[in-house]
Amino acid sequence: MTNKGEHTLPELPYAYDALEPYIDEQTMRLHHDKHHQGYVDGLNATLGKLATTRAKGEYGAIQALSRDLAFHGSGAVLHALFWNSMTPKGAPLEGELLDAVKRDFGSAELFMAQLAAATKRVEASGWGVVAYEPVGDRVVILQCENHQNLTMWGVDPLLVCDVWEHAYYLDYQNRRGEYVDGFLKVANWAYAAKRYRAAKG
Ligand SMILES: [Fe+2]
């Protein structure tokens, strides 16, 4: 966000080629500079149209605008989380988040197996999401279709994996499973743990 309320594209927290060989530089450039930028632009355009709508008091397009807000807004937020969900060489799952995962999934291995399976099997375009659910005080694994469907109210996402084809097709073609396995090699569990601590309050 800027002072004017316009959303801006956040910079990558590492170089475009820093995640190789698991995520290639060309994919990262297209994904960040074109796709993520597109969601940021779409979000700003939608917020502008909503401001005009309110000013005119004409709500004929409110359903489409509300959908656009959910789609572009979720796309912008999830991509910002996604870049931080990876780090060169990866960062291990440990500490308080590891303890929570063992409690809620039985073991780190069972947690990772469910995360890989859920992410690989998202129908069409979407995301694998690790989240903290505060009412039950649990860590949960969710599938998200597109950016905004099949989510769970009230959760704080901790780590996300983008499985839209634009995230992997140049290098992995249709081999989404290999891409997800590569993502898990560079997964930034230190970032997830930081978000977990913040969500727990
Ligand atoms: Fe994406």
Side-chain angles (χ1 to χ4, degrees):
M1 291 278 286
T2 67
N3 290 335
K4 294 175 187 169
E6 285 267 303
H7 290 262
T8 54
L9 182 67
E11 286 191 13
L12 281 184
Y14 36 71
Y16 286 98
D17 64 354
L19 301 176
E20 290 194 351
Y22 302 109
I23 315 286
D24 69 287
E25 178 179 354
Q26 190 184 9
T27 296
M28 288 297 289
R29 285 190 182 280
L30 283 168
H31 197 176
H32 177 267
D33 296 0
K34 304 298 182 189
H35 290 279
H36 191 179
Q37 183 72 62
Y39 296 118
V40 170
D41 292 345
L43 175 58
N44 286 329
T46 304
L47 290 170
K49 287 177 189 170
L50 283 165
T52 304
T53 296
R54 285 192 300 275
K56 290 183 176 173
E58 295 172 358
Y59 287 94
I62 192 62
Q63 281 175 293
L65 288 172
S66 299
R67 284 199 187 96
D68 285 349
L69 181 63
F71 180 80
H72 294 298
S74 297
V77 167
L78 284 166
H79 280 93
L81 291 172
F82 178 58
W83 311 127
N84 286 291
S85 292
M86 301 178 287
T87 190
K89 297 185 172 57
L93 175 59
E94 55 191 11
E96 191 183 8
L97 181 56
L98 176 60
D99 292 342
V101 158
K102 285 180 178 172
R103 180 195 66 207
D104 296 337
F105 292 84
S107 71
E109 291 71 28
L110 290 170
F111 166 76
M112 291 294 180
Q114 183 180 331
L115 176 59
T119 304
K120 290 173 185 179
R121 294 180 199 176
V122 170
E123 194 172 323
S125 298
W127 299 76
V129 178
V130 177
Y132 173 66
E133 188 277 289
V135 176
D137 185 24
R138 296 180 70 85
V139 177
V140 292
I141 293 168
L142 302 169
Q143 291 180 320
C144 174
E145 291 181 359
N146 288 327
H147 301 307
Q148 73 280 33
N149 300 338
L150 288 183
T151 54
M152 187 176 187
W153 289 107
V155 302
D156 281 302
L158 306 178
L159 187 99
V160 300
C161 179
D162 189 341
V163 288
W164 287 57
E165 285 188 344
H166 66 229
Y168 61 87
Y169 207 83
L170 280 180
D171 198 27
Y172 290 93
Q173 288 84 49
N174 62 325
R175 303 188 307 280
R176 181 192 281 182
E178 288 179 29
Y179 157 73
V180 172
D181 292 338
F183 167 86
L184 290 172
K185 293 269 197 332
V186 292
N188 188 355
W189 292 105
Y191 176 71
K194 196 171 102 182
R195 290 185 61 82
Y196 178 70
R197 278 193 298 277
K200 289 273 285 182

